[in-house]
Amino acid sequence: MEKEVIVSDIVPSLKLLITDEQDTIRMICVGAMVGIAKILSKDENKKVMLPITLAIFEDKSWKVRLAIAKNFPELAGAFGKEIVDASLTTKFSLLLKDDEADVRTAAVTSLKSCLKTISAEKIQTVIIPQLNDLMRDSSFSVRAGLAGSLCSICTVIKKDVAITRLLPLLIDLLKDEHHEVRMAILAEVQPVAISIGPEFITSSMLISFSNLMKDQKWRVRNAVIELLGNLSKEFGKDFYSKSAEQIFLLFLVDTVAEVRETGMAKIEQLASVFKADWVVKTYLPKAVEAFGKEKQGYLYRITALRSMAVTAGVLSKEQIASSIVAVFLKACKDQVPNVRFCAVKMLQTLMGRMDSGTVGRVKAVLTELGSDQDKDVQYYARKVLSS
């Protein structure tokens, strides 16, 4: 369709329709506005579409305001940063404190999608001042949307502003009573930390992570383990040792299998990045200690064994013999059949990476297990010996 036709015929009709008494009609107009704005140039939009757009932000119907909140990223993209900064950012900020929770949720969720069309100055002077009120919003969906947008804002403003003004808000949201808000922060904070650097993970944030490892929702604990594993991989050994290790190793004793599995997967990744010396000097001593703790469930001992086994891929035969095998041979004599069974399975995977002397020691223990009281242990030990 020709632009002339849009400007001369369609826009005048749109001006009439956005004043229609039926809010359904006005809602449809919002979608039409977006479509037209994408066709017209920025100058044409400023002249023709801007007056219409400004008017609809204050529509009496919350459903119309909801529509504009949802469509604002596309509308902002069509208008461009200059017009958005000059005329639309302040109007959009009104939606962040709208009386209707659905409108506030849509607006704060849309915020992270339109940050490229809002200058850093406007974000700091117009948008950020609105966020403190949203922290105390009665709707958890608003706070969850805020969590994602806060993280995105941190990546487009100055580092010192992010740390001084927004980091405290993120830490407060990690304490939110609703788990979806806590999850929203954990899901979005990694790129922020990588963008700003390890100084973003302050002692206060680490305390929050530590507290979250006591969270009743296992998905929250799982997200903490995944996050700390990823950040350790990104920031290196020093970050792991000084900041992450104490919290991260709680995966070894988590009550939910999925969390323990995530921890083991991350340990395997860290071993491949940090290499054998780190595994032998830093991780294995902690895993051995976890295995040897008294009065703990057998599943935790199995987790410790399996986590040691996944690091073996970066170890030499000598390191496997000196650092791992003794623990697995001890596990072969555990009182719980499941632990003995796990130890036999792990030893089978490691035997190809052992020297002949170590293989002889292992076979001697497996021979004893060939007459184990547990039929599964007995069967698998014999199977390994015959393979």
Side-chain angles (χ1 to χ4, degrees):
M1 185 179 295
E2 295 293 334
K3 289 184 179 181
E4 291 78 6
V5 176
I6 294 175
V7 173
S8 62
D9 295 347
I10 295 181
V11 171
S13 298
L14 186 63
K15 287 180 179 179
L16 292 175
L17 290 172
I18 64 167
T19 61
D20 194 275
E21 63 181 14
Q22 294 293 322
D23 59 6
T24 304
I25 300 297
R26 302 198 302 277
M27 286 170 60
I28 295 173
C29 285
V30 174
M33 287 165 53
V34 173
I36 293 171
K38 286 181 176 180
I39 295 173
L40 300 181
S41 68
K42 289 178 173 55
D43 288 339
E44 290 167 334
N45 277 324
K46 184 176 182 178
K47 181 180 179 180
V48 176
M49 295 302 299
L50 184 58
I52 302 174
T53 304
L54 292 173
I56 208 163
F57 268 99
E58 298 181 34
D59 195 282
K60 62 184 179 180
S61 169
W62 70 269
K63 293 180 181 179
V64 178
R65 300 195 303 274
L66 176 63
I68 197 70
K70 289 181 175 180
N71 285 278
F72 185 73
E74 288 188 88
L75 202 58
F79 276 105
K81 181 177 287 190
E82 183 180 345
I83 298 175
V84 172
D85 262 13
S87 305
L88 295 181
T89 301
T90 301
K91 288 289 187 180
F92 176 74
S93 71
L94 298 176
L95 300 178
L96 294 171
K97 52 184 179 182
D98 196 274
D99 290 338
E100 289 292 332
D102 285 351
V103 177
R104 298 194 303 274
T105 300
V108 77
T109 302
S110 292
L111 179 58
K112 68 178 182 179
S113 299
C114 59
L115 290 174
K116 291 181 179 180
T117 56
I118 305 176
S119 68
E121 180 187 356
K122 287 292 184 180
I123 290 172
Q124 290 181 217
T125 59
V126 178
I127 299 298
I128 291 180
Q130 305 292 337
L131 304 184
N132 284 312
D133 289 338
L134 295 179
M135 292 283 298
R136 299 182 293 274
D137 201 283
S138 59
S139 170
F140 81 85
S141 60
V142 173
R143 301 194 305 275
L146 172 63
S149 291
L150 269 177
C151 290
S152 296
I153 292 172
C154 286
T155 64
V156 298
I157 60 176
K158 291 181 179 179
K159 182 187 296 189
D160 60 327
V161 177
I163 292 175
T164 57
R165 296 186 63 180
L166 299 188
L167 180 57
L169 303 185
L170 291 174
I171 292 173
D172 282 347
L173 287 174
L174 285 172
K175 305 171 188 174
D176 195 274
E177 63 183 9
H178 203 285
H179 74 278
E180 288 191 23
V181 179
R182 303 192 297 274
M183 282 293 295
I185 291 289
L186 293 171
E188 300 282 352
V189 78
Q190 181 179 329
V192 180
I194 292 174
S195 172
I196 294 177
E199 64 266 35
F200 190 75
I201 308 299
T202 62
S203 58
S204 297
M205 182 167 280
L206 289 171
I207 290 171
S208 296
F209 289 159
S210 180
N211 291 333
L212 288 177
M213 285 307 296
K214 303 169 190 172
D215 202 284
Q216 293 183 350
K217 299 293 183 179
W218 70 265
R219 287 182 174 83
V220 172
R221 304 194 304 274
N222 194 62
V224 173
I225 295 301
E226 182 143 14
L227 174 63
L228 288 177
N230 291 342
L231 292 179
S232 296
K233 185 178 176 182
E234 181 71 27
F235 295 142
K237 300 174 187 177
D238 284 347
F239 175 84
Y240 174 85
S241 298
K242 294 176 182 178
S243 301
E245 182 181 56
Q246 187 175 358
I247 304 168
F248 178 77
L249 289 178
L250 292 173
F251 85 85
L252 289 166
V253 292
D254 198 274
T255 56
V256 174
E258 186 70 24
V259 180
R260 300 195 299 272
E261 292 290 337
T262 296
M264 284 185 280
K266 293 302 169 186
I267 280 296
E268 186 173 15
Q269 292 175 13
L270 292 178
S272 68
V273 174
F274 295 163
K275 305 304 179 185
D277 189 60
W278 176 85
V279 172
V280 172
K281 293 180 179 179
T282 302
Y283 180 69
L284 288 182
K286 298 292 184 181
V288 172
E289 180 185 348
F291 175 81
K293 282 185 178 178
E294 297 181 358
K295 297 180 180 180
Q296 68 171 349
Y298 75 91
L299 288 173
Y300 304 142
R301 297 199 294 281
I302 289 177
T303 300
L305 290 176
R306 290 180 58 203
S307 73
M308 286 186 267
V310 299
T311 67
V314 301
L315 302 181
S316 66
K317 290 182 178 181
E318 293 76 14
Q319 289 170 325
I320 290 173
S322 62
S323 302
I324 292 182
V325 171
V327 183
F328 280 88
L329 294 180
K330 180 180 179 181
C332 286
K333 299 179 182 179
D334 196 278
Q335 293 181 349
V336 179
N338 296 53
V339 178
R340 299 198 299 274
F341 183 77
C342 175
V344 172
K345 289 185 68 176
M346 297 297 102
L347 284 170
Q348 183 190 28
T349 64
L350 296 174
M351 284 180 71
R353 296 180 53 78
M354 298 178 190
D355 57 53
S356 57
T358 305
V359 170
R361 289 164 53 204
V362 171
K363 285 186 174 181
V365 173
L366 292 178
T367 300
E368 293 179 21
L369 292 178
S371 56
D372 194 271
Q373 293 179 348
D374 185 86
K375 291 183 180 180
D376 291 329
V377 175
Q378 182 185 116
Y379 169 79
Y380 211 84
R382 291 176 178 177
K383 181 180 178 181
V384 174
L385 285 170
S386 63
S387 60

